[in-house]
């Protein structure tokens, strides 16, 4: 069996993915270490399970996270493929380290958050001020940003992310909603530690914020638009769009009913982030061109998302 050597472009693309995954993990770990753990806030995922274990027993959150994900990864290798598994394995090891590192960086040499009175102390009271809420929302937003960046690079932080990624591979379900459904039990279980429904409710609030931010990051990067371009210089425009944006162009025959003349219509599907580039390109060639732009719910096929079966 001949092994194909990866091209320079493929190597650079993979390197870029790992760099962005690392930045996403830094945001996620900082959200936990600096904003969630010190206030004993629980969200979902295996990190949430690790947090509950830590609040009740004092066992380090990073080790609970690592052990649980080591088990789940055995199921992910065959289903999600080697690329996903390699990146997820990297993310699990890196996040384990970052959780440990940022707890020491934020809370001192022992890594114990200053507001935690001790392992298993369920009588810890929610601060009366709005600091608790603000810290929780900031931490949730940072976790959502981190997860979104990691998912955009075809990676995962493990845990319920693995479950969500498996289902997302075969079903057209948003990652944020899938993760939210998987994490309801985890958040509810914190009631048995603190005997306080306020913590459960606020746990759902933080989970909601994480899901919203995650979906915004993931879907914002993939949001697609459709262009109808009418111009006498349609050939030049089509050539430049194909060469410079690497998007396909379809030429349709039309009739201008007012002028009763034959016209050529260019149909282009592109990512929303490419809209400005396409507008500038058309304006450079034909400032009088007529352009219609509209958002589309989903684009599946070559160059976009893979077609998912229902």
């Amino acid at each position: 069996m001949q092994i194909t050597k990866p091209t320079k472009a493929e190597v650079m693309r993979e390197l870029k993915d790992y760099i962005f995954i690392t930045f996403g993990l830094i945001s996620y770990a900082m959200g936990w270490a600096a904003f969630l753990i010190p206030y004993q806030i629980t969200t979902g995922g295996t990190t949430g399970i690790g947090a509950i274990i830590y609040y009740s027993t004092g066992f380090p959150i990073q080790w609970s996270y690592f052990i649980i994900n080591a088990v789940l990864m055995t199921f992910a290798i065959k289903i999600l493929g080697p690329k996903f598994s390699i990146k997820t394995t990297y993310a699990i090891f890196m996040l384990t380290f970052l959780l440990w590192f940022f707890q020491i960086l934020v809370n001192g040499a022992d890594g114990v958050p200053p507001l935690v009175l001790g392992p298993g102390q369920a009588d810890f009271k929610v601060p009366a001020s709005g600091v608790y809420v603000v810290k929780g929302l900031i931490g949730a937003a940072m976790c959502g940003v981190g997860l979104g960046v990691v998912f955009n690079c075809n990676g995962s932080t493990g845990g319920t992310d693995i479950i969500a990624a498996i289902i997302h591979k075969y079903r057209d379900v948003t990652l944020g909603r899938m993760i939210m459904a998987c994490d309801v039990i985890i958040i509810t279980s914190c009631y048995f530690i603190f005997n306080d429904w306020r913590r459960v409710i606020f746990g759902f609030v933080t989970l909601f914020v994480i899901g919203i931010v995650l979906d915004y990051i993931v879907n914002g990067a993939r949001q697609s638009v459709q262009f109808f371009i009418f111009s006498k210089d349609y050939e030049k425009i089509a050539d430049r769009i194909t060469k410079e944006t690497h998007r396909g162009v379809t030429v349709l025959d039309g009739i201008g009913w007012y002028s009763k003349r034959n016209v050529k219509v260019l149909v282009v599907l592109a990512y929303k982030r490419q809209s400005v580039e396409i507008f500038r390109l058309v304006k450079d060639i034909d400032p009088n061109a007529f352009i219609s732009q509209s958002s589309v719910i989903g684009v599946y096929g070559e160059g976009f998302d893979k077609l998912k079966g229902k």
Side-chain angles (χ1 to χ4, degrees), residues 168-305:
H168 183 69
K169 181 178 180 180
Y170 300 104
R171 299 290 180 180
D172 191 15
V173 181
T174 63
L175 294 171
R177 291 179 181 177
M178 196 62 245
I179 293 174
M180 188 177 297
C182 294
D183 293 343
V184 168
I185 296 177
I186 297 174
I187 295 177
T188 304
S189 65
C190 78
Y191 174 79
F192 300 101
I193 304 298
F194 300 108
N195 294 316
D196 187 353
W197 281 109
R198 293 177 299 174
R199 290 184 179 274
V200 177
I201 294 173
F202 192 69
F204 283 117
V205 171
T206 58
L207 181 62
F208 178 77
V209 173
I210 291 174
I212 292 296
V213 175
L214 170 60
D215 275 343
Y216 179 81
I217 297 295
V218 173
N219 295 328
R222 296 178 179 176
Q223 188 174 354
S224 301
V225 292
Q226 180 176 263
F227 290 94
F228 287 102
I229 304 172
F230 302 79
S231 173
K232 62 181 183 300
D233 296 317
Y234 67 93
E235 292 182 350
K236 295 180 181 179
I237 295 174
D239 287 339
R240 287 193 58 182
I241 289 177
T242 302
K243 293 178 182 178
E244 298 181 20
T245 68
H246 304 290
R247 298 261 65 101
V249 180
T250 301
V251 182
L252 304 179
D253 291 318
I255 298 176
W257 199 248
Y258 180 79
S259 63
K260 300 299 190 294
R261 294 179 180 177
N262 294 328
V263 296
K264 297 292 185 180
V265 183
L266 303 182
V267 180
V268 182
L269 289 168
Y271 288 121
K272 186 176 181 180
R273 62 178 180 267
Q274 296 177 303
S275 298
V276 175
E277 183 180 2
I278 292 175
F279 272 111
R280 290 176 178 175
L281 184 152
V282 174
K283 183 179 179 181
D284 290 341
I285 297 174
D286 182 8
N288 297 317
F290 183 85
I291 306 176
S292 171
Q293 175 187 347
S294 59
S295 298
V296 292
I297 296 176
V299 180
Y300 303 96
E302 186 175 354
F304 293 89
D305 290 341

